[in-house]
Amino acid sequence: MDDQSKPKLSLRTLAAQALGIYEPTTMGLVPPIHAATTFIRDPDNGYRSGHVYGRTDNVTIQHAEDVIAALEGADEALLFGSGMAAATAVFLALEMPTHIVASKVMYWGLRSWLQDIGRYGHSITFVDTARLEDVRQAVKPGQTGLFWIETPSNPLWTVTDIEAVAEIAHASDALLCVDSTVSTPVFTRPLNLGADIVMHSATKYLNGHSDVSAGALAVIQGGSLWSRIKQNRRNQGTVIGPFEAWLLTRGMRTLDVRVRAQATAATFLAEKLVGHPAISDVLYPGLTTHPGHDIAERQMTGGFGGMLSIRIKDGEKVAIETAARVRLWKRATSLGGIESLIEHRSSIEGAGSPCPMDLLRLSVGLEDKDELYSDLVQALRI
């Protein structure tokens, strides 16, 4: 059967099947973990197997990369040891000097790193990328080479119009990279909307079990920047390990069912929490009152993600006290796992963070949504 005659599979089937790979010797349904770091040369000194050294040649890692590429509709994907390793790989591969336009609200770890990007010879302008006029005004003709957006953005869940920013970027002869960690390919495929590269902290939803640290990049069409990213990963050795890649593939097999259930529960919680006397605002793209709802509805197909934030009327102290009173929710950093997490975010981000001090970030897991709501209500004492 040639490629043209193969049926087009849904994302759920692609994820669950993990490309249908099995172990050919024993016919084991679950592929093994390939741990070898070096490979035997042929008698003629060649490598007909195509594998030379584990830093770049590992079947288990390549399998996980192929699954991610299929889920994103990409030509190729690369795995790294963490989300930060994947994200910084893009910036470290830029030709110097490059001006960067980036979302003002994004994952604080990357934002902190980018504030010191000048040490690498680049410059950056942080803007509210939900405001397209601000994005246009940030462009420096002949200098701007990369746009970096995170949508929905952590922890305010601001929504950026990917197609519109892609048009601005390409009109400026620049590339667009989208951090789609929260949306996941289940709800958004940025490459189909004009993005050049999509990034994931695969530690989060792609893995989904809070037991893997990983980052991923996927590209629709590789170019010089992508070639440098690949070269740097090979030279710097920032690739993920085989065991972690195997766990990641295992996690991705339930990606579709997990994130759809989490998004359904998040929508339920957001709608129920609106108007609670202890809450001043509920931040969730699925609410019709959210300023980015219309754009989210257009580019997030089938759901609005499993993340929301609530702002506590009586401020930081009460917010922290509220988080301390939960019973089912776990007080922990990170997101996207099967267990529900609550976090007073500004305590983590520290000085200079755009995160309000009265904000609690909620990562909705797979527990019963009514029980999660009841637990929040008992913690939200008036």
Side-chain angles (χ1 to χ4, degrees):
M1 183 183 294
D2 58 35
D3 289 341
Q4 290 185 343
S5 62
K6 288 181 180 178
K8 186 176 181 180
L9 300 177
S10 67
L11 187 140
R12 175 174 290 198
T13 300
L14 284 173
Q17 290 275 317
L19 306 183
I21 302 298
Y22 57 90
E23 200 285 299
T25 302
T26 65
M27 304 300 287
L29 184 62
V30 177
I33 303 171
H34 291 268
T37 58
T38 192
F39 303 87
I40 300 295
R41 280 183 182 269
D42 301 320
D44 62 4
N45 214 37
Y47 281 105
R48 275 189 291 274
S49 70
H51 295 88
V52 178
Y53 193 66
R55 190 167 1 108
T56 52
D57 305 325
N58 182 277
V59 173
T60 303
I61 296 170
Q62 290 165 353
H63 180 206
E65 291 173 336
D66 289 344
V67 172
I68 292 170
L71 294 178
E72 284 292 354
D75 291 338
E76 187 176 13
L78 295 174
L79 277 170
F80 296 79
S82 68
M84 279 295 290
T88 57
V90 176
F91 298 98
L92 293 175
L94 291 171
E95 292 184 310
M96 295 192 296
T98 297
H99 174 248
I100 302 153
V101 177
S103 296
K104 180 166 59 176
V105 177
M106 65 163 73
Y107 168 58
W108 76 278
L110 180 59
R111 186 177 185 274
S112 298
W113 186 85
L114 286 172
Q115 287 176 319
D116 199 26
I117 195 72
R119 69 188 299 182
Y120 300 103
H122 306 303
S123 60
I124 191 164
T125 301
F126 291 101
V127 298
D128 179 355
T129 51
R131 295 171 55 89
L132 295 179
E133 189 54 38
D134 290 358
V135 176
R136 293 187 186 95
Q137 290 180 0
V139 175
K140 297 182 178 180
Q143 299 179 49
T144 302
L146 179 70
F147 289 71
W148 180 281
I149 62 175
E150 179 181 322
T151 184
S153 63
N154 183 6
L156 303 182
W157 317 120
T158 307
V159 177
T160 295
D161 188 329
I162 297 172
E163 280 188 300
V165 176
E167 290 179 6
I168 296 170
H170 297 156
S172 307
D173 293 323
L175 299 176
L176 171 61
C177 185
V178 177
D179 181 343
S180 195
T181 296
V182 169
S183 186
T184 81
V186 174
F187 298 133
T188 307
R189 280 182 161 186
L191 299 178
N192 290 349
L193 298 174
D196 299 287
I197 299 174
V198 60
M199 176 267 174
H200 289 276
S201 175
T203 308
K204 312 302 193 299
Y205 284 102
L206 292 188
N207 173 56
H209 291 77
S210 303
D211 56 8
V212 168
S213 177
L217 298 174
V219 68
I220 193 68
Q221 185 176 9
S224 58
L225 177 65
W226 187 252
S227 296
R228 290 192 296 272
I229 291 171
K230 293 176 67 174
Q231 182 182 38
N232 288 349
R233 189 187 70 154
R234 179 178 67 249
N235 294 340
Q236 296 165 2
T238 53
V239 68
I240 192 175
F243 180 59
E244 289 77 14
W246 185 87
L247 285 174
L248 176 59
T249 300
R250 176 219 57 185
M252 288 191 290
R253 297 183 80 150
T254 59
L255 175 68
D256 189 89
V257 292
R258 279 191 289 105
V259 300
R260 290 189 187 278
Q262 288 166 305
T264 297
T267 300
F268 169 83
L269 291 171
E271 291 175 347
K272 293 276 282 186
L273 290 170
V274 169
H276 189 284
I279 297 174
S280 63
D281 200 5
V282 178
L283 309 177
Y284 184 64
L287 295 174
T288 57
T289 53
H290 188 284
H293 175 75
D294 290 344
I295 296 171
E297 194 169 40
R298 187 172 72 243
Q299 70 185 23
M300 298 182 74
T301 305
F304 299 95
M307 298 299 303
L308 67 147
S309 295
I310 56 176
R311 297 186 64 178
I312 305 302
K313 280 184 179 178
D314 291 329
E316 178 184 19
K317 182 175 182 294
V318 175
I320 293 172
E321 291 171 350
T322 299
R325 287 192 290 262
V326 296
R327 297 163 183 164
L328 286 178
W329 297 78
K330 306 302 181 186
R331 293 180 298 279
T333 292
S334 200
L335 56 92
I338 57 175
E339 54 282 299
S340 292
L341 306 181
I342 188 169
E343 181 177 44
H344 181 252
R345 192 62 196 160
S346 68
S347 297
I348 293 292
E349 299 195 10
S353 166
C355 178
M357 297 176 71
D358 59 6
L359 182 143
L360 293 175
R361 187 183 74 177
L362 308 178
S363 174
V364 182
L366 293 180
E367 301 91 343
D368 181 90
K369 64 182 187 299
D370 291 295
E371 292 172 351
L372 289 174
Y373 175 69
S374 296
D375 189 33
L376 286 173
V377 169
Q378 67 81 26
L380 287 163
R381 298 172 187 171
I382 305 301

